[in-house]
Amino acid sequence: MPITDTLMNDAPLHVTLVVGSNRHGRFGPVVADWLLGRMRDRDDLIPEVVDVADVHLPTSLTPTPEATAALADVTPKLEGAEAFVVLTPEYNHSFPAGLKNLVDWHYAEWRAKPVGLVSYGGMAGGLRAAEHLRQVFAELHAVTVRDTVSFHNAGASFDDTGRLKDPSGPDAAAKTMLDQLVWWGRGLREARARRPYGG
């Protein structure tokens, strides 16, 4: 492999964290802050954030002036990403409508890129929402990594300052998921550079 290819493949991965909840009083930002801390601790990731609560897109998928303005801000963050981490709560056994709407407004931006999944909720820890997202991203030609991070009874896992009461398990799970994301992200980055994805 040429030296330039080796350097490119070892370069940090641009990862967009998608915060998937826009519900009033949401717990997502607490989990997102913890997750960003884990991502920023690594020298192989450059994180950026897209928060569904800040993106105002109509559910009609109609290209109104308001939608065009919202897309002008959010689409470059998705297009420029080499990988994604999607943080989702579980609402009624699935993921939020606002997250699905953001996903549906885009197509090529997800293609041939890896997606890590982090979920939170009650007893199920948001895992049903994460499994539904796997089906959605498969349809969009994205690759979800095998291991996830999930928080069962998430509110009880963090103290009043937003710190995990016992970080050992979540920190280990996050490392495993992010390691897989980097492996897939670098491999797919090299593949896209060598030949356009035509799936």
Side-chain angles (χ1 to χ4, degrees):
M1 181 182 291
I3 293 174
T4 53
D5 288 353
T6 302
L7 291 174
M8 181 192 78
N9 207 38
D10 289 341
L13 203 65
H14 289 266
V15 179
T16 294
L17 169 62
V18 179
V19 182
S21 173
N22 59 357
R23 179 178 281 184
H24 176 70
R26 64 194 180 139
F27 192 73
V30 175
V31 184
D33 286 346
W34 167 81
L35 185 56
L36 277 170
R38 304 292 71 72
M39 296 169 76
R40 289 173 177 149
D41 284 344
R42 301 174 62 113
D43 58 9
D44 53 3
L45 297 177
I46 300 174
E48 184 166 27
V49 178
V50 167
D51 191 335
V52 168
D54 297 331
V55 181
H56 305 290
L57 291 167
T59 56
S60 64
L61 301 180
T62 304
T64 62
E66 294 78 14
T68 300
L71 290 169
D73 181 55
V74 71
T75 299
K77 295 177 181 178
L78 301 180
E79 187 175 30
E82 298 170 304
F84 303 95
V85 175
V86 177
L87 170 62
T88 184
E90 184 174 311
Y91 297 166
N92 300 320
H93 282 222
S94 193
F95 55 92
L99 175 56
K100 183 63 160 63
N101 194 40
L102 174 72
V103 170
D104 288 347
W105 269 97
H106 298 88
Y107 185 68
E109 292 79 7
W110 311 108
R111 289 166 65 93
K113 297 177 184 178
V115 181
L117 300 171
V118 180
S119 64
Y120 62 95
M123 291 298 293
L127 290 172
R128 292 170 292 209
E131 291 307 308
H132 287 178
L133 280 167
R134 289 190 192 279
Q135 299 173 53
V136 172
F137 282 115
E139 178 63 20
L140 293 166
H141 297 257
V143 178
T144 56
V145 302
R146 192 271 184 199
D147 284 81
T148 63
V149 182
S150 64
F151 289 95
H152 306 260
N153 298 316
S157 299
F158 292 81
D159 65 21
D160 292 340
T161 68
R163 292 179 180 272
L164 276 169
K165 295 176 181 177
D166 181 4
S168 57
D171 283 355
K175 182 184 184 308
T176 298
M177 184 269 291
L178 293 172
D179 285 349
Q180 292 175 8
L181 191 75
V182 169
W183 190 93
W184 279 101
R186 286 176 167 168
L188 289 172
R189 175 170 62 191
E190 180 183 346
R192 291 193 308 273
R194 290 178 178 275
R195 65 189 68 84
Y197 179 75

